[in-house]
Amino acid sequence: MAEDREILREIWEGRLPVCFTLATEEVSTPIAPDPFYLMVPRLTYFPLVTDKVRRHFVRCVVPEKHDNEMWLEFEKCPLKWHYPIGLLYDLLVTNSELPWQLTVHFDKYPDNKLLKCPSKDVVESHLMHSLKEADALKHKNHIMALMQERDHKQLWLGLLHDRFDQFWSANRKLMEHSAEDGFRYIPFRLYAPQFTSKPFMQYLVKSIENEKRLTLEDLLQRANLNFESKGPFQVVIHGIDLPLETPLQWISEHLSYPDNFLHLCIRYSSP
Amino acid sequence: MAGGLAYSNIELSIRRVIFKEIEKRNYREKEPFEVLISTYNKLFDAVSELRHEILLLTIQNEKLRQENLQNGQGTLEGKVTEKSSILEQKIYSLQEELTNLHRRKGEHAQQIVDLTSKLQEAEKNLNLKENLLSEAETKIIALKDEKKQLEISLAETEGGNQVLRDEHQALQIAYASIEEKLKILHYENIALVERLMAYKAHDAEILNKENEHFVKIKQAQMQKELEEAASEVKVITADRVLFETPLLSSSIPTKVHSKFDAHEGEVNALQFNAAGRMLASGGGDRKIKLWDIGQNTCSLRGSLTGSNAGITSVEFDANGSLILAASNVTNQRSLYFWVLEKKIPILCTQRRTILGFLTFK
């Protein structure tokens, strides 16, 4: 499992340079504040890393809005805090421009587009929710139910404090499976530009069917969407182009986000 | 087993591809920025720290400058003199304050003295009034006692008054009855006097008639005798005529044997004893008197008292040792016996009828 750990660590260590700028219409000081640069882990969520950003910008906002919830925007699109940062980047940034330019807002929270996130406890409950869903798909929810509150806390704190060993010592249990069978179903979410009615697709795909290990290609076929018709495309996760012949079981074990889901983005190469 | 191994071979190749992809990604996204941003962050922190320090220093600087201004621009000596002058000023102001405070203290002391004197006066007044009050209370109590006594005496006098009034009434009634009695007696008396006058007149008439008759008879006799004598001449001596005339005059008493005052008021009853030597008289003065009749005199032998009303009748017994008397009042008529030796009356009976005359049997 040494190589597994290597991959896992590399995935864990994935970072993105982000440049935060306060929205110009919200600046209340005579001189606009300097932009704030930060390397953020791809696997975590924005509310867990933006405390410093908030502190930096809040003094340049009118005092009445000091207690307002902060939200981020990229090219007029409010960022969903409940998506991992890496997924947001893979979804939204097509020209792979870096550092990632984000605008910080304190006013006019887009209630219709974003969930409210008054504290980190909300993020924790969201993470636990996703873990339970993934475990239900993989093990009929046996492992999460058997895990103790302490282990749940360990998962959360590992992610919160960016501690790889702490997180994986608990997460390993969730990734366990018998050598032959693999997971019951692969927990994944498929994001593609042509999905307009809903943000992503999700359906049941087994890891092994008829004693054959299913690959990424099999998964795409079961979506019954002719992805090739729109031109050449890539399946991107963690900022990497995933080969279509990769076995699903392996991807799920090694490339899942901390919520145990594979967030797969279909990206068409720009014309 | 072989299939599994083949899979793992595929897996290995794919893994290699993915690892390369990750490295590429890292080279693209992470490495160019990591150092830069970490340095930037460090610098950012340093800048903010320095800013903070600058702020502190400017504040300190400002403070120092102000102090410097206060201290003046001069040398140590200047500073010292200035300081001393400042201190002197301070001392002066403090002294002024002190004198002010002293003055105020004096005022307050005066006020306190005034107030204490006022308080004492008020206390004196209060004591005086309390004394007056207690005196008045004692007076009230004394007056109440007096009032009670007066009430008691009033009640007593009223009681006495009532008794007197009752007595007065009773006496008036008695008086009225007595007056009535008196009137009746008066009328009776008048009637009796009239009757007596009538009887006396009658008696006198009878007596006159008798006398006339007698004189007539005598004249007729004399005429007869004279005629006889005229017819028979006889010598008659004048002595003989003188002897015969006193016989007529001795039968009627013509002068009082003796006269004496016996009773106060009327004499109702007279009685001689059997021997004829003693006379008993009863009168309206409720006494019986015994008289010894001598040759020419009547001497009081003794009086018998004890009756409560006028005596109406007296009688001796045959031996002359007992006297029976009767008394008569309007509503009380009594009989008394006296034993002469003892002179004590014995009340025998009381009757409602008037006892007129009494005899022993």
Side-chain angles (χ1 to χ4, degrees), chain A residues 11-27:
Chain A
I11 295 295
W12 185 271
E13 294 292 335
R15 292 282 192 276
L16 277 171
V18 183
C19 173
F20 297 93
T21 329
L22 186 62
T24 48
E25 66 269 21
E26 291 188 26
V27 177

Side-chain angles (χ1 to χ4, degrees), chain B residues 326-346:
Chain B
S327 73
N328 179 23
V329 196
T330 319
N331 50 5
Q332 193 183 359
R333 284 120 194 166
S334 308
L335 269 182
Y336 299 95
F337 274 111
W338 274 270
V339 179
L340 283 184
E341 279 74 29
K342 288 181 182 172
K343 288 190 181 181
I344 296 162
I346 298 162

Side-chain angles (χ1 to χ4, degrees), chain A residues 14-70:
Chain A
R15 292 282 192 276
L16 277 171
V18 183
C19 173
F20 297 93
T21 329
L22 186 62
T24 48
E25 66 269 21
E26 291 188 26
V27 177
S28 68
T29 47
I31 305 154
D34 297 327
F36 195 84
Y37 290 89
L38 205 62
M39 291 297 284
V40 292
R42 272 178 159 269
L43 296 190
T44 193
Y45 300 90
F46 271 121
L48 307 188
V49 292
T50 49
D51 284 348
K52 266 190 175 180
V53 182
R54 184 187 170 85
R55 232 175 291 136
H56 176 70
F57 288 115
V58 84
R59 53 180 170 225
C60 301
V61 178
V62 283
E64 302 90 73
K65 297 176 191 166
H66 278 191
D67 293 331
N68 283 12
E69 205 176 307
M70 189 182 81

